[in-house]
Amino acid sequence: MLIKLSGARVFDPTQNWNGEVRDIFMRDGRMVAEPEPGARIDETYSLPGRVIMAGAIDMHTHIGGGKVNIARMMLPEDHRRDLVERGEHTRSGCGCAAPSTLTAGYRYAEMGYTACFEPAMLPVNARQAHLEMGDTPMVDKGAYAMLGSDDFFLRMMVAQEDQRAINDYVAFTLNAAQAMAIKVVNPGGISAFKFNQRSLDLDESHVHYQGVTPRKVVLALARALEELSVPHPLHIHGCNLGVPGNVETTLDTIAASEGFPIHLTHIQFHSYGTEGPRKFSSGAARIAEAINNNPHVTADVGQILFNQTVTASGDSMAQHRNAHHGSPRKSVVMDIECDAGCGVVPFRYRDKNFVNALQWAIGLEIFLLTNDPWRIFLTTDHPNGAPFTSYPHLIRLLMDKPFRDEMFARIDPDAAALSTLGSITREYTLAEIAIMTRAAPARILGLQDCGRLGPGASADIVVYRDDANREDMFTKPEYVFKGGVRVVKDGKIQQVTWGNVHVVKPEYDRAIEKRVSAYYDRYQTISLNSLRVRDDEIPLLSNGAELRVHTCARHRGKP
Amino acid sequence: MTVSGDLKQLYYSETLAHNSMTTTHTSVCCGFCGLLCDDLTLEEQGGVLQVTAAGCARASSAFARVSGATDAQRSPRIKGHPTDLPTAIAAAAKILAGSQLPLFAGLGTDIHGMRGLMDLADHCGAVLDHMNATAKFRNILTVQGYGWVTTTFSEVRNRADLIVVMGSDVASRFPRFYERLVWPAEALFVPDLSQRKIVSVGTAQTAAAQSPEGVTPHHIPCGNADLPDVLAALRARFNGQGLAVTEVAGVPVSALDELAQQIREAQYAVLVWVAPDLDFPQAELTTQMIAGLLGDINQKTRAAGLPLGGNDGDFSADAVLIWQSGFPFRTSLASGKPDYNPHLYDTEGLLERDEADALLWVSSLDSRDARPETKVPTVVLADAGMPVDDDVAVWIPVATPGVDCEGHLFRGDKILALPLRAVIDTGLPTIKVVAQGILKQLESA
């Protein structure tokens, strides 16, 4: 079945298509080149005045796993703000800060997203993450396995083991958890909190694992991923999240990577200075400058937006520290299996609150001062900064200077006085939005067939009406195709599909498994065989999803 | 719309040795309590399973009962008359089709069974409740109102130097708890395990709690119904508040002072409770007191709670219900949207008030017949070890995850979902298959 989309302005940064009017074609779920003249076209959509992009990719969204389900369980009052009725094609559920898996999948697709990546999958909790992602329809998915506070790794660090052994352990973990990448959260700090350490700076030693510092953890893991040729570099949630002055920590973390590629996640939460009357100021300019000057660094923003949400993080140390800010005032903090931890704290960001208002401005400053849209990604760290459903609003803030000024005028005046946001004239273009929400995430994750519209790509296509109000435009695409199937029309689900599961499987010396197995038998409460998520479990866990294994052949090399 | 899944055989027995008489299965994961021990050895003789290593009384009887069911027990029945599966499924569909408010209760199933039941419940507009829900709400309401700091099995095993058990003989519900979590051969962060201190408040621990050196836990006796007062006093004393009494419910305040001091001095104190044993009015206020105490301790030192559960698949069914609907048990899908009300949608209340007019009772794990008394038309999906009730409208024997079908269950600390394999093949359908069959009938009607 050959389908033609005709007459729209098409954006595909990978082919340097920047909105020229052109026809595109798909056949049997894949993009194809323009057929020979006279080829039979089964269906044609005439789309003058429309904008076409590939399906969007959310490279950092907490959609599945233990802490997300804790957040759901904690927040019946929040769900009641947005109960979702079952429809002709869709199941009932709920939206807002911690949506049900089914509703999350529908709403992502309705906004034109066709792939989502859960960034904090604990290896011991990997099955739950895959189960919840499996019950998230419409989108492709994948997850990043958390390392860096697990005792096996920290014991390796204390023993100053050879980098090759660490590489083997990292590769084993990616395979065992069925993961796409590795994330480190508060490097070593989740473990340190279990030993009653309440903060852990970049060069501070872990209280139990003497001599192990976050700097060493970051370097060992960043190097491992580079040497394993895993496409996505180390995904770093750094030390001192939310702490005024952490801009220094973040700049030092960039230096700590010693040139190995790194991705700094929700960098807004790590860009705070200590200037000004309240000892809380924007470090955005310095952060953006550092990103601009370090081509091996990428970042996603973790923008906050003003509303009720819930923060769900692996950073038990920071979440316990911030639990008293919770609104409503309740929190769950968990130490987990000599592996990691988590913390869930509901949060309400307010535009008249000095700190929240400045956080909002800092995020936008980082977006607008970072030059290269291939290296800065559009996220709210769903749901930590805001629910993913606020992306269209965020896109309008980036694309529409008068609208941004209008919003800026509403925030706490003391915060506004400390921000340069009002003087920044940049407006993102549609081509730049297509980069930062499609082509760039696909590139940074090593997704070969997503985020682009060239021949061979998955036919994940979004057709927008070219509305001057970009929030309206990005809220409700006219059509969304997933793998060639028209799943959304006028912003509503027409057909339910189930995406694939994206993973990497780097090679490693299997001898590490004997060591990990012996460690599990000696100290843990399950066997290694129970830990490992086998390939043949994936269809059952993930609702029939297929594994899409991405190659680890590309060696990026140090810049 | 249904959540479809591939139900092909996924787990292959690790068969060590077999002759014409006996087959040995090693590293079997047992789903009959929340510990989900994955180290059992079973011997199979003529399809009947016997636990021969790493077992407990609970596992032994459950494996034997489910695997040893007779052919008659494995036959579907309509009003006591044996029938085939398609006929039974059609009869079940008819009951649900005629119902204004069907109640899906029991819910003793695994993750995949619950997924199938959720598809069906959404279509039928059913209420979902679990046989353990009354106990579980003692914890759920505390999380929803206050929150807590908790921990998991391997952290307890490797880190805890003080374990305080409140109101339960833990081994009675989790037989190998002490063997596997408290008295292992060695631990990562407790160099001398003989120094690990166990204190029980309220119910005493039985012999399983004894250390290898024969030390029995320190016991602070009181009635469980007095725990609200005793724990409130403990929290007050921990925070240095004065009390105008010298004893609370027979417990000397000096004993509570001593415990408070032990908690202050601990590297990592773990407070353990088992919600079904806190069987007194407003027990959620007591779990909230425990959560509050944990919050107070963690201001300066480390401590965490271990609210044990996971029996009868309760964590598994609850987790699926929460991620698919947003809400825990006692959620109604009758209006087309989830409606969660722990005080309105309980099994007993809905039946007593004649609100539910059909019951789908699900219990596929441990043959415990916890059904409520009711006259409404009832469909039972039960494991083959359950005593058959010929008065029930439709009785459908189903496979048991970890015995005669594969599955996944959440462990008693909620963090691990472990795979269970089909050790034997009885040909019984899974709950998911039955639920999908009923849904198909309803959709085509």
Side-chain angles (χ1 to χ4, degrees):
Chain A
M1 174 118 165
L2 182 64
I3 301 172
K4 175 182 180 182
L5 306 185
S6 174
R9 296 170 60 208
V10 182
F11 290 86
D12 179 0
T14 68
Q15 304 189 86
N16 216 15
W17 292 356
N18 292 312
E20 303 82 9
V21 172
R22 66 179 74 237
D23 298 340
I24 58 170
F25 300 84
M26 62 181 132
R27 189 199 299 267
D28 303 330
R30 294 270 156 192
M31 302 306 297
V32 292
E34 182 163 359
E36 297 293 316
R40 195 175 79 98
I41 292 168
D42 299 283
E43 197 172 0
T44 299
Y45 289 80
S46 175
L47 300 167
R50 314 301 207 284
V51 167
I52 285 181
M53 296 182 186
I57 300 166
D58 193 344
M59 58 94 73
H60 188 109
T61 172
H62 296 279
I63 54 169
K67 63 186 166 302
V68 183
N69 226 28
I70 292 169
R72 292 189 190 101
M73 193 250 229
M74 278 171 81
L75 294 170
E77 67 278 11
D78 193 59
H79 306 327
R80 288 189 183 112
R81 296 193 292 135
D82 186 15
L83 297 170
V84 177
E85 191 164 6
R86 68 171 164 263
E88 189 186 347
H89 309 289
T90 54
R91 287 261 310 264
S92 61
C94 68
C96 290
S100 62
T101 54
L102 295 142
T103 303
Y106 305 145
R107 291 204 168 154
Y108 261 118
E110 285 169 353
M111 285 186 349
Y113 277 75
T114 51
C116 294
F117 290 84
E118 159 60 51
M121 172 170 74
L122 279 57
V124 297
N125 188 239
R127 282 195 188 81
Q128 183 173 4
H130 285 291
L131 283 158
E132 293 185 29
M133 290 192 293
D135 280 354
T136 305
M138 316 305 296
V139 292
D140 282 359
K141 40 249 165 177
Y144 314 155
M146 270 168 63
L147 282 180
S149 276
D150 57 305
D151 289 289
F152 189 89
F153 172 79
L154 292 169
R155 285 157 63 97
M156 291 180 101
M157 293 296 290
V158 165
Q160 301 191 335
E161 290 204 26
D162 191 86
Q163 181 73 34
R164 276 174 303 182
I166 288 172
N167 296 357
D168 288 337
Y169 179 60
V170 168
F172 158 78
T173 302
L174 284 162
N175 279 268
Q178 300 284 0
M180 188 67 194
I182 295 288
K183 182 191 195 192
V184 65
V185 174
N186 188 351
I190 303 167
S191 164
F193 179 60
K194 297 171 189 176
F195 292 92
N196 203 30
Q197 208 166 352
R198 301 301 171 117
S199 64
L200 187 63
D201 213 343
L202 190 64
D203 290 308
E204 192 176 352
S205 174
H206 186 294
V207 69
H208 177 79
Y209 295 106
Q210 279 297 317
V212 178
T213 63
R215 179 186 296 272
K216 290 178 182 171
V217 171
V218 164
L219 183 60
L221 291 173
R223 186 174 161 194
L225 292 166
E226 176 66 9
E227 292 182 359
L228 292 166
S229 298
V230 171
H232 190 48
L234 180 63
H235 199 88
I236 302 173
H237 158 148
C239 321
N240 295 332
L241 177 137
V243 177
N246 64 12
V247 60
E248 304 298 340
T249 319
T250 306
L251 296 173
D252 290 346
T253 303
I254 292 174
S257 68
E258 297 186 9
F260 289 108
I262 54 169
H263 177 87
L264 298 168
T265 191
H266 43 66
I267 198 164
Q268 176 276 128
F269 290 108
H270 303 266
S271 303
Y272 305 148
T274 52
E275 291 160 21
R278 303 200 202 183
K279 305 293 180 210
F280 183 71
S281 59
S282 171
R286 295 175 68 199
I287 291 292
E289 187 187 7
I291 297 172
N292 291 339
N293 292 337
N294 285 281
H296 69 291
V297 175
T298 55
D300 66 272
V301 171
Q303 178 67 35
I304 72 137
L305 294 162
F306 305 118
N307 209 336
Q308 177 68 49
T309 192
V310 59
T311 63
S313 170
D315 193 343
S316 47
M317 181 190 272
Q319 292 292 80
H320 184 263
R321 186 170 60 226
N322 292 324
H324 66 284
H325 292 304
S327 175
R329 176 77 174 84
K330 52 185 170 183
S331 64
V332 167
V333 173
M334 204 168 169
D335 299 320
I336 299 173
E337 278 307 88
C338 302
D339 190 43
C342 78
V344 183
V345 183
F347 218 87
R348 187 174 181 85
Y349 295 104
R350 299 162 206 268
D351 58 3
K352 299 294 190 273
N353 171 292
F354 168 77
V355 171
N356 299 165
L358 197 51
Q359 288 178 302
W360 177 85
I362 289 168
L364 293 174
E365 288 171 11
I366 293 170
F367 271 116
L368 295 164
L369 296 174
T370 303
N371 298 331
D372 183 359
W374 288 91
R375 293 195 291 117
I376 189 87
F377 302 96
L378 188 140
T379 68
T380 56
D381 187 18
H382 164 82
N384 292 305
F388 68 82
T389 41
S390 42
Y391 286 167
H393 176 79
L394 175 54
I395 289 172
R396 187 174 180 199
L397 286 169
L398 298 178
M399 294 189 72
D400 186 340
K401 164 78 173 157
F403 176 69
R404 188 163 71 228
D405 287 345
E406 198 184 311
M407 295 296 116
F408 187 57
R410 292 189 196 169
I411 68 168
D412 175 78
D414 291 349
L418 288 179
S419 172
T420 58
L421 189 62
S423 66
I424 303 175
T425 55
R426 181 177 175 191
E427 291 181 332
Y428 269 80
T429 64
L430 284 172
E432 288 175 323
I433 294 295
I435 294 170
M436 80 191 308
T437 59
R438 275 85 171 163
R443 186 170 83 169
I444 198 70
L445 286 165
L447 301 171
Q448 286 97 351
D449 59 356
C450 303
R452 64 189 183 90
L453 296 167
S458 177
D460 300 346
I461 308 169
V462 190
V463 179
Y464 299 103
R465 292 185 187 84
D466 192 356
D467 191 327
N469 181 331
R470 298 307 191 193
E471 183 169 348
D472 289 350
M473 170 174 165
F474 283 97
T475 299
K476 204 175 167 186
E478 188 170 357
Y479 299 110
V480 178
F481 296 86
K482 176 79 183 78
V485 177
R486 200 180 81 190
V487 290
V488 171
K489 182 167 184 275
D490 292 326
K492 287 288 158 207
I493 299 291
Q494 295 256 297
Q495 187 171 338
V496 173
T497 58
W498 300 87
N500 302 305
V501 177
H502 294 269
V503 298
V504 291
K505 291 186 176 294
E507 287 300 321
Y508 60 100
D509 182 345
R510 305 273 154 171
I512 191 72
E513 294 183 8
K514 279 194 182 146
R515 285 186 56 195
V516 182
S517 182
Y519 168 85
Y520 262 72
D521 291 345
R522 198 168 161 191
Y523 295 117
Q524 297 283 120
T525 45
I526 54 169
S527 71
L528 190 67
N529 278 337
S530 296
L531 174 81
R532 189 198 311 261
V533 182
R534 296 197 318 265
D535 287 358
D536 61 4
E537 273 182 278
I538 286 291
L540 186 60
L541 295 172
S542 308
N543 262 313
E546 284 176 26
L547 274 181
R548 289 286 165 89
V549 182
H550 294 274
T551 53
C552 290
R554 190 164 65 90
H555 191 80
R556 289 177 306 258
K558 286 174 79 167
Chain B
M1 203 283 317
T2 64
V3 178
S4 68
D6 186 352
L7 284 169
K8 70 178 179 175
Q9 181 81 22
L10 279 176
Y11 303 99
Y12 308 98
S13 295
E14 288 178 29
T15 303
L16 265 194
H18 70 100
N19 54 36
S20 58
M21 300 297 292
T22 307
T23 307
T24 303
H25 305 272
T26 61
S27 303
V28 172
C29 185
C30 167
F32 295 116
C33 88
L35 293 183
L36 294 188
C37 304
D38 66 349
D39 59 347
L40 276 67
T41 300
L42 307 181
E43 282 196 356
E44 175 190 344
Q45 212 164 10
V48 178
L49 296 168
Q50 190 188 355
V51 181
T52 55
C56 66
R58 190 177 179 123
S60 295
S61 72
F63 275 107
R65 194 171 52 232
V66 174
S67 64
T70 61
D71 287 347
Q73 281 177 295
R74 290 190 175 126
S75 169
R77 286 157 194 266
I78 295 177
K79 294 261 181 211
H81 301 292
T83 183
D84 59 20
L85 183 62
T87 310
I89 283 176
K94 199 172 166 194
I95 288 172
L96 293 178
S99 167
Q100 296 297 307
L101 187 66
L103 168 61
F104 290 11
L107 301 184
T109 181
D110 81 329
I111 289 162
H112 310 294
M114 189 62 185
R115 280 170 153 176
L117 291 167
M118 285 296 293
D119 282 334
L120 183 61
D122 198 57
H123 181 90
C124 300
V127 175
L128 296 132
D129 189 22
H130 192 277
M131 64 177 100
N132 297 351
T134 298
K136 294 200 73 66
F137 273 103
R138 294 168 194 151
N139 289 334
I140 292 171
L141 295 178
T142 291
V143 180
Q144 292 181 336
Y146 188 94
W148 57 27
V149 178
T150 59
T151 192
T152 67
F153 291 179
S154 293
E155 296 289 356
V156 175
R157 176 182 165 163
N158 287 297
R159 198 177 292 283
D161 54 350
L162 172 65
I163 296 173
V164 184
V165 180
M166 292 164 294
S168 290
D169 168 25
V170 180
S172 69
R173 291 184 195 270
F174 304 93
R176 295 176 68 201
F177 173 81
Y178 284 99
E179 173 204 333
R180 295 189 57 227
L181 272 60
V182 181
W183 304 121
E186 56 183 330
L188 283 166
F189 312 117
V190 185
D192 179 3
L193 276 171
S194 70
Q195 297 302 305
R196 180 170 267 175
K197 294 188 197 112
I198 316 298
V199 178
S200 64
V201 184
T203 306
Q205 306 304 296
T206 44
Q210 265 189 15
S211 76
E213 294 79 20
V215 179
T216 53
H218 178 62
H219 186 212
I220 299 176
C222 70
N224 271 5
D226 291 324
L227 281 171
D229 293 347
V230 173
L231 294 177
L234 173 65
R235 187 179 175 195
R237 293 305 296 158
F238 178 85
N239 287 317
Q241 292 167 7
L243 291 177
V245 292
T246 55
E247 62 169 56
V248 176
V251 176
V253 171
S254 60
L256 298 177
D257 283 344
E258 193 185 331
L259 179 54
Q261 188 58 25
Q262 285 182 312
I263 291 171
R264 279 185 210 104
E265 289 169 1
Q267 300 288 314
Y268 194 82
V270 173
L271 311 188
V272 182
W273 69 98
V274 183
D277 293 327
L278 304 182
D279 194 12
F280 45 81
Q282 277 89 49
E284 68 273 15
L285 298 181
T286 296
T287 60
Q288 191 171 325
M289 185 61 69
I290 298 169
L293 176 59
L294 286 165
D296 296 342
I297 301 167
N298 280 295
Q299 293 308 308
K300 285 192 176 157
T301 60
R302 285 310 321 275
L306 188 69
L308 277 166
N311 290 6
D312 307 302
D314 53 15
F315 281 159
S316 305
D318 200 33
V320 175
L321 179 52
I322 290 168
W323 79 57
Q324 289 200 5
S325 77
F327 299 97
F329 298 130
R330 301 191 177 165
T331 289
S332 169
L333 302 174
S335 73
K337 299 175 181 176
D339 180 26
Y340 161 65
N341 191 325
H343 309 292
L344 197 57
Y345 296 127
D346 65 299
T347 299
E348 288 72 20
L350 285 171
L351 293 170
E352 270 170 28
R353 296 190 301 268
D354 292 328
E355 289 176 27
D357 57 359
L359 173 66
L360 176 69
W361 182 264
V362 179
S363 179
S364 69
L365 286 165
D366 76 346
S367 316
R368 188 160 65 89
D369 193 355
R371 283 181 297 146
E373 277 197 27
T374 180
K375 296 254 184 293
V376 303
T378 299
V379 178
V380 173
L381 311 186
D383 64 78
M386 186 95 90
V388 176
D389 179 348
D390 283 343
D391 291 334
V392 169
V394 181
W395 184 278
I396 303 180
V398 290
T400 297
V403 179
D404 48 352
C405 72
E406 71 277 8
H408 286 91
L409 281 170
F410 275 99
R411 203 171 71 171
D413 55 5
K414 277 190 165 181
I415 198 66
L416 275 151
L418 294 186
L420 295 104
R421 64 184 195 239
V423 183
I424 55 171
D425 180 9
T426 61
L428 284 177
T430 62
I431 285 172
K432 182 157 185 174
V433 162
V434 173
Q436 286 176 335
I438 296 172
L439 181 58
K440 209 171 163 188
Q441 291 267 328
L442 293 173
E443 283 176 340
S444 63

